[in-house]
């Protein structure tokens, strides 16, 4: 049901994946005419007369230093994985030297990335990983675990540990098999290097789903989701990945850690919740057991229009406090609602029928006093026909309490079909002098409105003339995730400084408001200093001690999160 | 709604609490005649001609060594909390030197407890706790945090750290106020020393409930729940306490740790889930923010009879996989069902009406082929009237799928009214030569039947002639908690050895089956060696390093869990 809705069957061979942008070659969802309209609209918004072309450099132009691995090291590492699965080739090294953040793509595009991994290894089993970690511990080689490579927080930033002389990327994607589907316990055990679509297809074929669909779904792996505490778009129903997790296996430099396969326990600190979020600092996650669900009988995804953001927020709060089961509630603020509405018109013909439809729409909204500040909610439900019908009836009682207007399933279905497309838009705009980035955090309901305003203000202050907007992407009993997007004309001279300033301003804003530096993107290198500022010192030192004990030579992903 | 159903308004002053048994003086739920019938039944079961009286020693007879605290230390500690809140009195010291496990009560009753705390301090605020920890770190005094004192796993066992000369009990119960009820976010912040009933009453008065009702509810504290990863009887609806937890404040010897007040984040290992389950090893939990819910509009608690344990288990699995919301599903195995049924007849008159009712009941069960192996499920639902009605309708469709028979709400209501009584039964039987203890673990559905049998067999093997039984007390998407009870004639000569053997046999059985050593009781001292055996070594060493960093002088609750 879900897999077949994916836009493409993806060939993940490294040659087929873009090394400096999102996705696979040939995969695109924006037609030429549509992109021209979008770019024209943006240049109009930014009051620039013409879009400036900023094409990326070719792979061959990337200033790549010689691999720092010695011939002996190359020989030894090749022996562990087999020489076919070890590489110091340009393409492999560059592809593995950055994630997919704006800052990453910027540096790759303009050839300003400074540090590169010296080799890439693709182990096929845990014993090989143990050998790699042992060899690298002895030979002072930094190891950066790599799954889908989709980090947007500098999780793959190439940094060496103290005294270390070379950096090895450890790519887990050869380890991507189903180990066991336990249909009685509704648990599946997979090797952690598996990409989202393959995992979901295996489950779907047996009538199950994981239900974990982050924006990065097509290009991220199970291990990466766990390492960075990913959230799928349907997390209201299925939970964040750390809640979906039942147990895992991690290969560390001090040996293998396996957590117990139980539904709950009262046995000291929760080890799962230490390795979830460890972002490669504590070991390589190799095997994960996760909760799976029978494929839902039906789904209902629909739009609701509210007069303003506060009304939409109050609706979300009420639905969650009434404990009405939903899969997703996504509330765009007025600016995002407007932008999506505008983008939606591009590439479509203006027929008389469309004109009439719009007129009627406006009239209805007007009648309901829904005007300029209108905000759209996309609400999704999955389950049995009976459950969805009953829950929908409950939702329909809450909508009018906050002046909302049910807007049908068209918006919802549209969203499902285009849910993985947005990152491809960035590919285009960044080649045309336009920057786009996202930041996200979470807070309790009593502070959502305030933080929403503060975050948008911080963004707009950081890059004058930018378009800043926000949506609530995930919601909970006690609060919600605020997800911000900023679009801006790239600074022609110092685009990196422009980004630093933006990142700094917004991150300061989050932690000054007591909000975490991330809700589901992670900490990585980019957020490290804010993470440290907002974490109590004794706990931070405790984590460092934990890491130092497990990774005595400090070879694992240095310079990230808490180390 | 819930508070008023408590059996008593409890006076928690230390003089009013039993130092060697469960509960407050004067609180009892078993009438003399009823107890006589129960004891006669048990002596019959155990084939002993007469119950052997085993009265506990008086407080004055307890062999209590002189406090090892020096006069200077007593003076300094008294200064920190005020002399009214520091004590080296016999009653205070004995009360704080053990928990409420069978082994604890055994030793207190027969005057075989060997180690006692040397003083008890009741701080009133965090700054006092900081001072106490600083003073004790400097003066090599062990500190054992104390909340309700209801540990059943040796969490309060008086052990000294290396080189330490005295042991101080740090009682948190003066810190028991509501700090803030955030009605918008449905979050409440309490000081952690608050007892269950007071907390629940404060919330109920404002229309809210925490919904956390462990068996120990009346005599345990919020901080203790978190420290030991407690599970309430309605955890299907409200979650285990570590899931209810949003953020906390912990005073450690290295400073105060505060976690962020957010609904979810992606910021490294989850600190909440490190301090939850820390059982006093990492600091004193002083403030906790927890999710609260509007008091449910209605409830429906009812019985269902199944032909055997497997049928009941399959019912539980199906209900959870269909995601039908419940508050509680509790399945007694055939032996427990029989025992409860027998106990239920004691103290009641045999009227002709009762006789007729029983006859009809038997006939119906017979018709449904429910015989000797019959097992009872108690299922509870809370929520709006509409939700409960809809969910009940869904449950009713699942019952016949597994040959079950709906048995009405009588059993459910009865259970609610007597839910906190069971520990009081132990008070009586232990004075009459009969031992009773409970052990619990959890596993995934594919292993529940096997582990159920293995656990009961291990119990019966460990004490020949004992009555062993089991129920499923908590259930999840992927598995369930197995909760075992054993009743046995106390060994007249070596009751402690008898208990050791039982504990050893069952604990070995759990970990040999890959199951955790506890689902909600904790690790403490009693389970430490099994916890260590079943935890991967690198993780164990990592936790030790975390602890050593935070508690440099290793004064906090030594000899428990992982340290």
């Amino acid at each position: 049901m879900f897999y077949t809705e994916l836009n493409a069957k993806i060939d993940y061979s490294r040659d087929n994946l873009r090394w400096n942008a999102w996705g696979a070659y040939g995969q695109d969802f924006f037609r030429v005419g549509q992109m021209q309209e979008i770019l024209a609209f943006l240049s109009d918004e930014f009051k620039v007369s013409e879009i400036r072309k900023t094409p990326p450099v070719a792979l061959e132009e990337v200033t790549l230093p010689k691999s720092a691995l010695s011939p002996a090291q190359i020989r030894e590492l090749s022996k562990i994985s087999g020489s076919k699965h070890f590489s110091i080739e340009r393409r492999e090294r560059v592809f593995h030297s950055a994630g997919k953040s704006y800052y990453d793509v910027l540096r790759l595009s303009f050839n300003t990335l400074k540090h590169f991994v010296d080799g890439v290894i693709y182990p096929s089993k845990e014993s090989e990983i143990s050998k790699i970690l042992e060899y690298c511990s002895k030979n002072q080689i930094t190891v950066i675990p790599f799954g889908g490579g989709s980090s947007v927080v500098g999780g793959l930033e190439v940094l060496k540990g103290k005294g270390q002389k070379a950096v090895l990327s450890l790519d887990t994607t050869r380890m991507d098999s189903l180990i066991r589907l336990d249909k009685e316990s509704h648990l599946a055990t997979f090797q952690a290097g598996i990409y989202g679509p393959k995992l979901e297809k295996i489950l779907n074929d047996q009538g199950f789903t994981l239900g974990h669909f982050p924006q990065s779904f097509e290009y991220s792996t199970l291990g990466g989701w766990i390492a960075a505490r990913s959230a799928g778009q349907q997390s209201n129903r299925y939970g964040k990945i750390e809640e979906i997790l039942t147990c895992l296996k991690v290969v560390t430099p001090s040996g293998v850690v396996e957590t117990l396969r139980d539904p709950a326990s009262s046995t000291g600190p929760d080890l799962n919740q230490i390795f979830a979020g460890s972002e490669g600092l504590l070991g390589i996650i190799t095997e994960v057991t996760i909760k799976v669900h029978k494929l839902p009988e039906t789904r209902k995804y629909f739009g609701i229009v509210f007069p303003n953001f506060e009304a939409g927020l109050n609706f979300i709060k009420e639905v969650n406090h009434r404990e009405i089961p939903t899969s997703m509630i996504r509330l765009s603020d007025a600016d995002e609602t407007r932008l999506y509405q505008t983008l939606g018109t591009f590439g479509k013909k203006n027929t008389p029928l469309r004109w009439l439809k719009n007129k009627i729409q406006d009239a209805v909204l007007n009648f309901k006093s829904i005007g300029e500040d209108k905000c759209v909610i996309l609400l999704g439900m999955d389950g049995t026909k009976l459950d969805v019908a009953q829950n929908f009836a409950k939702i329909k009682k809450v909508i009018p309490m906050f002046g909302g207007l049910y807007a049908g399933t068209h918006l919802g279905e549209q969203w499902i079909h285009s849910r993985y497309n947005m990152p491809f838009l960035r590919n285009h705009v960044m080649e045309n002098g336009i920057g786009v980035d996202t930041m996200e955090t979470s807070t309790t309901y009593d502070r959502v409105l305030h933080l929403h305003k503060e975050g948008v203000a911080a963004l707009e202050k950081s890059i004058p003339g930018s378009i800043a907007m926000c949506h609530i992407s995930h919601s909970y009993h006690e609060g919600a995730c605020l997800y911000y997007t900023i679009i801006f004309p790239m600074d022609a001279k110092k685009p990196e400084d422009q980004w630093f300033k933006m990142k700094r301003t917004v991150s300061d804003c989050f932690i000054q408001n007591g909000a975490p530096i991330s809700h589901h993107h992670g900490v990585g290198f980019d957020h490290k200093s804010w993470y440290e500022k907002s974490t109590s010192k004794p706990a931070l030192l405790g984590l460092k001690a934990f890491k130092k004990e497990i990774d005595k030579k400090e070879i694992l992903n240095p310079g990230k999160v808490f180390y």
Side-chain angles (χ1 to χ4, degrees), chain A:
Chain A
M1 174 176 184
F2 292 102
Y3 179 72
T4 51
E5 279 167 20
L6 281 176
N7 294 303
K9 302 246 167 178
I10 301 161
D11 167 10
Y12 291 105
S13 62
R14 278 11 193 163
D15 281 357
N16 193 48
L17 297 179
R18 291 184 173 97
W19 57 274
N20 62 354
W22 189 256
Y25 291 113
Q27 196 189 7
D28 199 353
F29 306 97
F30 295 91
R31 276 155 294 118
V32 177
Q34 192 184 6
M35 268 319 300
Q36 279 169 348
E37 280 190 83
I38 292 173
L39 290 170
F41 162 76
L42 289 175
S43 67
D44 205 49
E45 281 282 319
F46 297 142
K47 300 177 184 61
V48 291
S49 56
E50 210 181 333
I51 288 294
R52 182 170 64 93
K53 292 281 166 199
T54 47
V57 302
L59 178 61
E60 293 65 35
E61 293 172 57
V62 171
T63 316
L64 180 70
K66 197 173 157 289
S67 169
L69 290 165
S70 71
Q73 288 172 337
I74 291 170
R75 212 164 40 238
E76 289 304 315
L77 289 167
S78 299
K79 245 191 240 164
I80 296 174
S81 60
S83 58
K84 269 170 68 185
H85 305 296
F86 176 81
S87 174
I88 54 164
E89 295 303 309
R90 166 172 288 264
R91 194 170 204 296
E92 284 284 1
R93 286 181 58 201
V94 174
F95 178 76
H96 286 86
S97 291
K100 299 296 181 199
S101 73
Y102 173 74
Y103 181 50
D104 289 333
V105 174
L106 197 68
R107 289 181 295 172
L108 288 167
S109 299
F110 300 155
N111 189 23
T112 55
L113 189 68
K114 294 211 173 63
H115 304 292
F116 295 86
V117 298
D118 297 293
V120 182
I121 195 160
Y122 292 84
S124 70
K125 50 180 184 244
E126 275 132 16
S127 59
E128 287 177 12
I129 297 179
S130 293
K131 280 181 200 158
I132 295 165
L133 296 182
E134 194 187 342
Y135 184 80
C136 291
S137 287
K138 274 191 193 145
N139 289 275
Q140 292 167 299
I141 300 169
T142 301
V143 176
I144 302 180
F146 190 101
S150 66
S151 169
V152 289
V153 295
L156 299 165
E157 191 75 18
V158 180
L159 300 167
K160 279 192 200 81
K162 221 175 121 185
Q164 285 155 28
K165 293 172 183 105
V167 180
L168 180 69
S169 177
L170 192 160
D171 189 308
T172 61
T173 53
R174 274 179 76 209
M175 296 173 68
D176 67 345
S177 303
L178 171 70
I179 293 170
R180 180 186 172 204
L181 174 59
D182 173 357
K183 292 189 178 182
E184 207 177 339
S185 312
H186 286 202
L187 285 175
T189 305
F190 284 98
Q191 286 186 303
I194 191 168
Y195 278 100
K198 180 174 174 186
L199 175 149
E200 190 61 20
K201 168 113 177 64
I202 289 172
L203 293 176
N204 290 183
D205 287 347
Q206 303 220 44
F208 286 87
T209 179
L210 180 63
H212 186 72
F213 302 106
Q215 171 89 77
S216 67
F217 177 69
E218 294 173 303
Y219 293 99
S220 52
T221 61
L222 174 57
W225 298 339
I226 305 277
R229 295 186 168 265
S230 158
Q233 289 159 335
Q234 277 67 49
S235 70
N236 278 30
R237 177 172 165 86
Y238 299 102
K240 269 190 92 190
I241 197 73
E242 63 265 30
E243 299 169 286
I244 296 173
L245 168 66
T246 286
C247 60
L248 44 65
K249 194 189 264 190
V250 188
V251 181
T252 83
S254 301
V256 175
V257 171
E258 275 189 271
T259 60
L260 292 187
R261 191 174 189 276
D262 63 57
S265 71
S266 167
T267 48
D270 186 341
L271 294 174
N272 284 333
Q273 299 305 324
I274 294 179
F275 288 97
S278 61
E279 300 195 22
L281 273 73
L282 300 178
I284 319 296
I285 298 169
T286 56
E287 209 179 288
V288 182
T289 299
I290 40 190
K291 297 174 189 92
V292 297
H293 298 253
K294 282 274 172 102
L295 276 171
E297 197 176 277
T298 191
R299 72 168 177 231
K300 191 176 179 84
Y301 281 64
F302 51 90
I304 317 170
V305 187
F306 286 94
N308 53 51
F309 189 69
E310 186 173 0
L313 173 67
N314 287 333
F315 168 83
I316 291 178
K317 212 161 47 183
E318 186 69 22
V319 168
N320 286 326
H321 288 164
R322 287 184 179 212
E323 289 156 57
I324 306 173
T326 60
S327 297
M328 169 182 107
I329 318 180
R330 187 186 163 100
L331 165 66
S332 292
D333 70 3
D335 285 323
E336 192 177 286
T337 299
R338 242 187 326 265
L339 185 77
Y340 273 115
Q341 204 173 20
T342 308
L343 290 181
T345 63
F346 295 149
K348 285 178 188 160
K349 279 186 192 143
N350 263 318
T351 60
L353 186 69
R354 180 176 303 276
W355 180 86
L356 186 66
K357 222 175 115 191
N358 288 342
K359 280 288 158 205
I360 294 170
Q361 237 173 40
D362 288 348
V364 172
L365 291 175
N366 205 20
F367 175 73
K368 281 272 184 179
S369 311
I370 296 175
E372 268 298 285
D373 293 336
K374 78 162 182 282
C375 291
V376 167
I377 275 187
L378 289 175
L379 196 152
M381 298 176 143
D382 302 81
T384 65
K385 284 176 188 165
L386 177 64
D387 285 347
V388 169
Q390 286 178 344
N391 296 332
F392 180 63
K394 287 169 195 165
I395 291 287
K396 274 181 81 176
K397 284 201 178 150
V398 183
I399 295 174
M401 287 172 62
F402 304 100
L405 188 67
Y406 176 68
T409 56
H410 175 68
L411 277 178
E413 287 299 315
Q414 203 176 39
W415 176 86
I416 285 179
H417 291 292
S418 59
R419 61 201 285 193
Y420 303 121
N421 296 1
M422 265 303 157
F424 291 91
L425 183 59
R426 190 185 67 179
N427 293 357
H428 289 284
V429 300
M430 283 188 72
E431 295 186 11
N432 290 280
I434 291 166
V436 55
D437 202 3
T438 57
M439 264 75 45
E440 34 81 71
T441 186
S442 75
T443 193
T444 47
Y445 287 123
D446 58 323
R447 302 183 191 177
V448 168
L449 278 184
H450 177 74
L451 185 55
H452 168 247
K453 279 196 201 98
E454 292 255 310
V456 170
L459 282 167
E460 287 176 344
K461 193 185 107 190
S462 70
I463 305 184
S466 61
I467 304 174
M469 56 206 169
C470 180
H471 67 263
I472 288 180
S473 57
H474 306 261
S475 61
Y476 301 86
H477 176 86
E478 74 270 48
C481 165
L482 286 163
Y483 195 100
Y484 300 87
T485 303
I486 182 166
I487 312 178
F488 52 94
M490 220 181 256
D491 188 276
K493 285 178 195 152
K494 296 186 167 173
E496 292 180 23
D497 289 353
Q498 178 188 39
W499 179 80
F500 289 144
K501 190 180 167 201
M502 186 275 293
K503 193 81 182 175
R504 213 164 42 229
T505 312
V506 181
S507 301
D508 284 346
C509 164
F510 288 170
I511 71 163
Q512 275 155 20
N513 278 282
I517 192 61
S518 171
H519 168 269
H520 59 274
H521 285 169
V523 178
F525 170 68
D526 298 353
H527 292 157
K528 184 173 191 284
S529 68
W530 289 277
Y531 171 74
E532 287 178 342
K533 268 182 232 163
S534 55
T535 304
S536 297
K537 208 173 162 200
L540 205 57
L541 294 175
L543 290 176
K544 281 179 205 274
F546 189 103
K547 148 95 174 171
K548 181 81 171 86
E549 177 63 41
I550 275 196
D551 175 21
K552 293 197 174 60
K553 298 295 179 180
E554 302 167 56
I555 58 167
L556 283 170
N557 214 11
K560 321 282 158 61
V561 199
F562 56 80
Y563 212 84

